[in-house]
Amino acid sequence: MDAPVPALATRAEAAARRLREAEAVLLASHIDADGLTSAAIATTALERADIPVATTFEKQLDEEAIAAIAASDYETVLFTDFGSGQLDVVVEYADRAGFTPIVADHHQPADADAEFHVNPLLEGIDGGSELSGAGAAYVLARALADCGRDPEDHATDGNRDLAALAVVGAVGDMQTVDGELVGANARIVEEGVAAGVLDTAKDLAMYGTQTRPLPKLLEYANDVRIPGITNDQAGAVRFLDGLDLDLKADGDWRTWADLTHDERQTVVSALVRRAVRNGVPASRIDDLIGTSYTLPRETAGTVLRDASEFSTLLNATARYDRADVGLAVCLGERGAAFGEAERLLRTHRRNLSQGIEWVADHGVTREDNCQWFHAEDEIRETIVGIIAGMAFGADGVDRSVPMIAFAHAEDGETKVSARGNARLLRKGLDLSAVMQQASRAVGGDGGGHAVAAGATVPRGKETAFVEAADRILGEQLR
Ligand code: C5P
Ligand code: C5P
Ligand code: ZN
C-alpha cells in the first residue's frame, strides 16, 4: 500500500482498524473550513466502509463539550481538527465514560497518551504548514479504504477523490507557504491531481478568481499593494481599460476564470510593470503569483471551483451556527443547501469588511512585544481570529510584533485570537504556548499553532492576560 503520508501510516492504520470494529461512530469536529472538510472526509470514508456515523460540531473542545460527548453513550468517538490540544481531558473522560477516542488532528498535542492518535506533530511534520485537520482525516480515510474488504474500490480510487476536500481544508487554514502547499499537503495534492479531482497552475495569487468581476478582483486584493489599483475602484477600472483587451461580455466585466491564457499573461505583465514602476519591492512582486488549486468537477465560475473561495464559503456557514449547511455542501448537495450557503457568504463578507473597518477606525494598542485590540461586542467571537489575521496583514501595520484580538464570548467569557507570520516564527514565536500559558495564568485556557492560536479567558482578565502574554513574548522573541 502506498500511504499519502508514510510517516503517519502506522498510526492511521491502527486508527482505521479500530474504526472498522465500531458498531457506530460519533464524529466531533471544529466549526471552520478545515473542521467541516475534515468531517466530510471522515463521514464519507466511514459510510463507504458501512460504519454508521453521526456528527456534532463544537466551537471549542472545552471540558463542557467533552463532557457532553462522553454523555452521548457512543463507544467510539472520532475527533477531527481538534482533540490533540485537549487530549488529557479527552482521555480522562473516555476512561470514565468508557468510550474509545480516536483523534485526527494537527494542533499542538497536550501532554497525554492515546492509543489512536493521528497528528503530524507526533512524527516531526509541521501541523501549521504541512498538514491540516482535513489532511489528517484524509490520511485516515485512505487507510480506512485500504483495510476494507474491497481495498481498491475503483469508483472512489481508495478514497483519493477526497483529496480535493483535504486541500480546501489546508487552504482554509492558510497553510500555503510562499503561495503553495508544501510537504505532506503537496503529496495529497498529487493524489488529488492523479484522481482527477484537482488541478494546479501557476497563476495570479488573488482571492476571487472564479467569482469576482475583474475590477473587484484587483481592487480588493491587498496582499501586495499596487498604488493606483489596490483599494482604488476607479484606478482598477482605468488600469483594465488601458489594456488592449476586450474584458467585458454583454456589458459586464468578465472574471479571471473567463480569461484565456494569453489574456491572463497580458494582465499579469501589465500588473508587474505597474508594480515595478511604483517601487513595489521585487520580493512582494513575486507574491503576485502563486499556485491555484482548482476543483475541476465543480461548475466553473462558482465559489466551489476554487479551493480558497470554497473555504470561505464553509467558514461562512459553520462560524454562524450552520455547520449542517457547510457539511451538506461538502458532501455534494447543490440545491437548497448551496443556496443557503451563498446567502450566509454574503453576510460573512459584510461582517468581515465591517470588522476590518472597525479595527482601522479604532486602532490597536502597542505593547513592548505585541499589539492588541478589543472589539467587545462589535465583532463576532467566531470570526475575530479571521479579522485579527486580516488586520495583521493590512497595509501600514507594524508586523514586528504579533497581533492579539479580543471579543466578547458567551457566559461572561472573552475570546482571544493571536496571529503571527513566518518572520516572527524564525525569531522564535510560538503563539500556541503564549495563548496556553497566558490564559491559564488568568483562569482560562488556550492553544493552537505557533503562527496562529487562540484562548478563552474570564471577562475582566484581558489586561492581566496582555501583561502575561507580553512577558512570554518578550522571552520568545528576545
Ligand atoms: O483550528 P484550525 O487549526 O483549523 O485553525 C487554524 C487557524 O490558523 C485558521 O484560522 C488560519 O487562518 C490560521 N492561520 C493563520 N496563518 C497561518 C496559518 C494558520 O492565520 N500562517
Ligand atoms: O479561534 P482562532 O481562529 O483564533 O484559533 C486559532 C487557532 O488556535 C486554531 O487552530 C484554533 O483551533 C486554536 N485554538 C485553540 N484553543 C482555543 C482557541 C483557539 O487551540 N481556546
Ligand atoms: Zn485546522
Side-chain angles (χ1 to χ4, degrees):
M1 157 189 150
D2 59 331
V5 183
L8 284 172
T10 309
R11 291 179 179 278
E13 281 159 25
R17 273 196 302 274
R18 177 59 186 78
L19 284 168
R20 283 262 169 199
E21 291 164 7
E23 246 166 61
V25 174
L26 177 63
L27 170 81
S29 196
H30 194 207
I31 57 145
D32 67 0
D34 191 32
L36 280 175
T37 47
S38 301
I41 290 167
T43 53
T44 303
L46 288 166
E47 280 168 4
R48 284 174 179 171
D50 291 327
I51 304 161
V53 53
T55 50
T56 175
F57 289 89
E58 301 287 346
K59 205 164 15 185
Q60 217 55 246
L61 191 63
D62 52 20
E63 182 159 355
E64 202 184 321
I66 296 167
I69 288 166
S72 70
D73 277 345
Y74 275 83
E75 281 175 13
T76 308
V77 182
L78 172 59
F79 298 87
T80 56
D81 196 34
F82 57 26
S84 296
Q86 309 76 10
L87 198 60
D88 44 354
V89 187
V90 168
V91 168
E92 186 191 316
Y93 274 82
D95 288 348
R96 214 185 303 154
F99 70 85
T100 304
I102 298 171
V103 177
D105 188 13
H106 66 135
H107 291 93
Q108 193 58 53
D111 195 9
D113 275 332
E115 200 178 346
F116 308 107
H117 189 192
V118 183
N119 184 319
L121 291 153
L122 299 171
E123 304 297 339
I125 297 170
D126 183 13
S129 64
E130 294 182 309
L131 196 72
S132 69
Y138 177 78
V139 168
L140 181 56
R142 294 272 289 102
L144 210 42
D146 272 322
C147 74
R149 279 175 295 272
D150 180 15
E152 291 290 323
D153 174 349
H154 289 294
T156 61
D157 207 5
N159 283 335
R160 285 177 182 84
D161 60 326
L162 301 175
L165 286 171
V167 166
V168 172
V171 168
D173 260 13
M174 315 237 299
Q175 296 213 323
T176 49
V177 178
D178 292 333
E180 64 178 359
L181 292 173
V182 300
N185 279 327
R187 290 273 301 131
I188 296 176
V189 170
E190 281 169 25
E191 290 203 344
V193 170
V197 296
L198 273 174
D199 284 335
T200 66
K202 282 274 166 239
D203 202 355
L204 185 68
M206 287 185 180
Y207 178 82
T209 48
Q210 288 293 329
T211 62
R212 279 186 175 162
L214 284 165
K216 294 265 173 263
L217 179 78
L218 300 185
E219 175 194 344
Y220 291 152
N222 55 7
D223 279 357
V224 184
R225 216 181 76 81
I226 305 177
I229 294 178
T230 309
N231 298 326
D232 185 343
Q233 193 180 347
V237 170
R238 260 197 315 278
F239 167 79
L240 291 165
D241 278 338
L243 303 173
D244 191 18
L245 295 174
D246 191 8
L247 298 177
K248 287 190 181 167
D250 302 327
D252 289 330
W253 287 99
R254 295 160 70 196
T255 63
W256 188 257
D258 290 336
L259 303 187
T260 64
H261 179 77
D262 287 354
E263 288 171 329
R264 290 184 192 184
Q265 286 291 107
T266 305
V267 179
V268 167
S269 305
L271 270 179
V272 169
R273 275 199 307 278
R274 168 71 70 95
V276 171
R277 197 152 17 97
N278 283 280
V280 178
S283 60
R284 299 309 326 257
I285 290 176
D286 288 348
D287 294 343
L288 282 171
I289 301 298
T291 299
S292 63
Y293 299 95
T294 305
L295 282 67
R297 292 191 180 170
E298 301 295 344
T299 309
T302 68
V303 292
L304 304 176
R305 182 91 165 183
D306 174 77
S308 181
E309 293 197 62
F310 195 152
S311 74
T312 304
L313 181 83
L314 297 181
N315 278 323
T317 64
R319 290 178 190 265
Y320 298 81
D321 293 322
R322 294 307 307 273
D324 57 322
V325 174
L327 183 62
V329 171
C330 288
L331 295 174
E333 267 188 51
R334 293 293 176 266
F338 183 56
E340 179 65 7
E342 286 196 300
R343 196 188 62 73
L344 289 162
L345 179 59
R346 286 192 286 278
T347 306
H348 181 51
R349 288 206 173 119
R350 194 164 54 239
N351 289 344
L352 291 183
S353 73
Q354 285 172 357
I356 282 294
E357 211 169 298
W358 188 91
V359 179
D361 287 349
H362 291 76
V364 300
T365 305
R366 172 70 198 239
E367 307 290 340
D368 288 338
N369 305 301
C370 65
Q371 53 193 325
W372 60 272
F373 65 86
H374 198 325
E376 299 182 353
D377 296 312
E378 297 296 322
I379 297 174
R380 204 182 157 89
E381 56 142 329
T382 52
I383 63 165
V384 74
I386 300 178
I387 292 177
M390 292 171 84
F392 191 53
D395 208 36
V397 168
D398 174 8
R399 272 180 281 277
S400 64
V401 293
M403 181 72 76
I404 296 178
F406 297 97
H408 286 161
E410 293 153 6
D411 305 329
E413 293 189 311
T414 291
K415 171 74 205 300
V416 196
S417 279
R419 294 294 186 269
N421 58 20
R423 207 176 61 85
L424 288 166
L425 288 183
R426 286 194 292 274
K427 289 182 74 177
L429 180 74
D430 180 358
L431 288 174
S432 173
V434 175
M435 288 293 110
Q436 187 184 67
Q437 290 164 22
S439 63
R440 288 189 179 170
V442 301
D445 204 1
H449 310 289
V451 73
T456 302
V457 298
R459 201 169 298 176
K461 295 289 186 189
E462 291 90 335
T463 308
F465 176 88
V466 168
E467 280 169 15
D470 197 53
R471 186 177 41 71
I472 302 164
L473 282 163
E475 288 159 17
Q476 288 183 0
L477 300 174
R478 194 167 38 208

